Amino acid sequence: MGEQSGELTNRISVLRAEYKMTQQALAEKAGVTRQTIISIEKGKYTPSLTLGFEIANAFGVDINEVFQYKK
Amino acid sequence: MGEQSGELTNRISVLRAEYKMTQQALAEKAGVTRQTIISIEKGKYTPSLTLGFEIANAFGVDINEVFQYKK
DNA sequence: TTTAAAGGTATAGTTTACTTTACATATAGT
DNA sequence: ACTATATGTAAAGTAAACTATACCTTTAAA
């Protein structure tokens, strides 16, 4: 298969700045390593849905405020 | 690592019934195989965030109406 | 009663998310 | 000048998502 589909963007760096949260702190709150946060923040790969929710929870915002998907 | 984290549930079968969509049809709309839909629908594994959005788009609803995450 | 459509299970193989480790740079504080 | 903190890059290994194939059961329609 391989729809290649749409594009996923994120506002993690903006939210981190807004909530004054370091990559390390976010990683700990989300239960992943700092490398994982870096890679997702930079769009290197797509997180799992649960990690998406964990990151949103870390900021206390809806998942749609962190990630945007457009086909 | 391994937070083991929270639990992910989904309302895919309910939405499929509501919108009268077969697993095959949903799979095609989401750009994955029927096996993938079956596995996610039954909670066998967690979809990627993009697939989560694709499935929500297939129904035309918000992602939070399809997937619920509780720590 | 045969046929087709829909859902279900299993398993091997590929791709990609995620970890771990290590090292490198820029900035701020002492 | 040294030290600590924050961000960045790279690469090898593990874990999990996703594909492909095959076969089985149920339900409904011809």
Side-chain angles (χ1 to χ4, degrees):
Chain A
M1 283 240 147
E3 273 292 86
Q4 190 57 356
S5 302
E7 198 199 357
L8 184 73
T9 58
N10 75 80
R11 302 203 321 122
I12 296 177
S13 64
V14 175
L15 287 163
R16 279 203 309 105
E18 194 173 338
Y19 289 89
K20 298 200 199 316
M21 200 181 297
T22 68
Q23 292 175 335
Q24 182 63 42
L26 175 57
E28 282 165 12
K29 281 202 173 192
V32 293
T33 64
R34 189 169 66 92
Q35 277 314 308
T36 299
I37 296 299
I38 290 173
S39 297
I40 290 166
E41 185 171 320
K42 301 208 120 189
K44 284 185 123 189
Y45 55 64
T46 303
S48 66
L49 183 54
T50 54
L51 180 48
F53 276 121
E54 285 281 357
I55 292 172
N57 286 349
F59 293 124
V61 302
D62 187 86
I63 195 168
N64 293 293
E65 287 193 43
V66 186
F67 299 96
Q68 292 77 41
Y69 186 71
K70 27 205 155 186
K71 293 207 75 168
Chain B
M1 284 239 143
E3 272 295 82
Q4 192 55 356
S5 301
E7 198 199 356
L8 184 72
T9 57
N10 76 80
R11 303 204 320 122
I12 295 177
S13 65
V14 175
L15 287 163
R16 281 202 307 104
E18 195 172 338
Y19 290 88
K20 297 201 200 316
M21 200 180 298
T22 67
Q23 293 175 334
Q24 182 62 42
L26 175 56
E28 282 165 12
K29 281 202 174 192
V32 292
T33 64
R34 187 168 68 94
Q35 276 315 309
T36 299
I37 296 299
I38 290 173
S39 297
I40 290 167
E41 183 171 320
K42 300 209 119 189
K44 286 186 121 189
Y45 55 64
T46 302
S48 66
L49 184 52
T50 54
L51 180 48
F53 277 121
E54 286 279 358
I55 292 172
N57 286 349
F59 293 124
V61 302
D62 186 87
I63 195 168
N64 293 293
E65 286 194 43
V66 186
F67 299 97
Q68 291 77 42
Y69 186 70
K70 28 204 153 185
K71 292 207 77 169

